[in-house]
Amino acid sequence: MEKECLLTNNCNFSGIRPAMADLPYPQIQAAGQNLAYANLLSIDYCGSVSELSAITQYINNENRLSCIKCPVAKTILGIAMAEMMHLQKLGELVNLLGGNVDFMAKYQNGAKLWTPAYLSIPENPGKMILADIESEKAAIKQYRVHINMIKDNCVTAVLERIIKDEEYHIMLLQSLLKEI
């Protein structure tokens, strides 16, 4: 006997686009292979403060908010999509620099496999958004440290462009706090 479908999520996500600054990205290129730079970018790719962590945290928040705060969930999905593009660009750079994209953040004292333990997933919607804002600020800070360590203008141009999106995300998230 078939059960009748009684519950429906009416939040329609068709047409959602990545939430990004309206600026082009520089071409993915490097002055030459450099494993030290690839290792730094592996941290941005899948470390505790990383694009992979951001994507996972945003998708989790979007899933939990879609039935109760559809407009907020749509914005969060757009931010997650932009973070996916950052992840893709970082992966290209890691490979170009001679590194390997294997979900291992390569630190000076060893490598660490990405884990969902890196995420901040509060239950309260307002606290979710605040955690997202803090994650964006931490990402910007980490990118700036890495920009100062990387002496390759081709690579740092991509990181500078990613920062523009992260700053835009903070602005969007701050506006969402008013809707919660």
Side-chain angles (χ1 to χ4, degrees):
M1 172 177 247
E2 255 185 68
K3 285 191 174 186
E4 186 177 342
C5 299
L6 300 175
L7 301 175
T8 302
N9 182 349
N10 291 317
C11 193
N12 183 341
F13 291 99
S14 66
I16 301 296
R17 298 172 117 359
M20 301 169 63
D22 191 19
L23 299 166
Y25 269 88
Q27 185 174 355
I28 302 300
Q29 54 188 357
Q33 287 197 338
N34 186 315
L35 194 54
Y37 295 168
N39 289 345
L40 282 175
L41 295 182
S42 77
I43 297 167
D44 298 321
Y45 187 88
C46 64
S48 60
V49 174
S50 69
E51 298 299 336
L52 185 58
S53 293
I55 293 163
T56 308
Q57 184 166 308
Y58 282 125
I59 291 297
N60 183 278
N61 289 347
E62 174 270 316
N63 288 161
R64 293 186 299 141
L65 291 170
S66 67
C67 291
I68 58 171
K69 295 279 186 186
C70 182
V72 172
K74 286 181 177 185
T75 300
I76 290 174
L77 180 59
I79 294 171
M81 293 167 74
E83 305 294 2
M84 287 179 210
M85 295 178 75
H86 299 164
L87 186 76
Q88 186 273 333
K89 290 176 185 318
L90 289 171
E92 280 188 47
L93 282 170
V94 167
N95 285 320
L96 195 61
L97 290 164
N100 188 20
V101 178
D102 55 8
F103 300 103
M104 296 288 286
K106 281 92 176 171
Y107 299 94
Q108 289 180 338
N109 60 350
K112 292 186 180 174
L113 183 65
W114 184 87
T115 172
Y118 292 153
L119 308 180
S120 175
I121 305 178
E123 289 299 317
N124 174 289
K127 288 182 180 177
M128 281 183 212
I129 303 301
L130 288 171
D132 292 341
I133 291 169
E134 289 309 309
S135 295
E136 293 286 355
K137 288 178 180 179
I140 291 168
K141 182 179 177 182
Q142 181 170 283
Y143 278 126
R144 288 194 172 129
V145 168
H146 290 174
I147 286 167
N148 288 331
M149 296 171 77
I150 296 172
K151 305 303 178 205
D152 181 328
N153 292 336
C154 301
V155 174
T156 60
V158 176
L159 301 183
E160 291 282 1
R161 176 58 188 83
I162 289 173
I163 287 173
K164 300 280 187 216
D165 286 341
E166 308 300 17
E167 291 170 337
Y168 180 60
H169 296 163
I170 291 171
M171 182 201 68
L172 289 173
L173 291 164
Q174 287 172 334
S175 71
L176 291 181
L177 276 175
K178 298 171 188 163
E179 295 180 36
I180 300 244

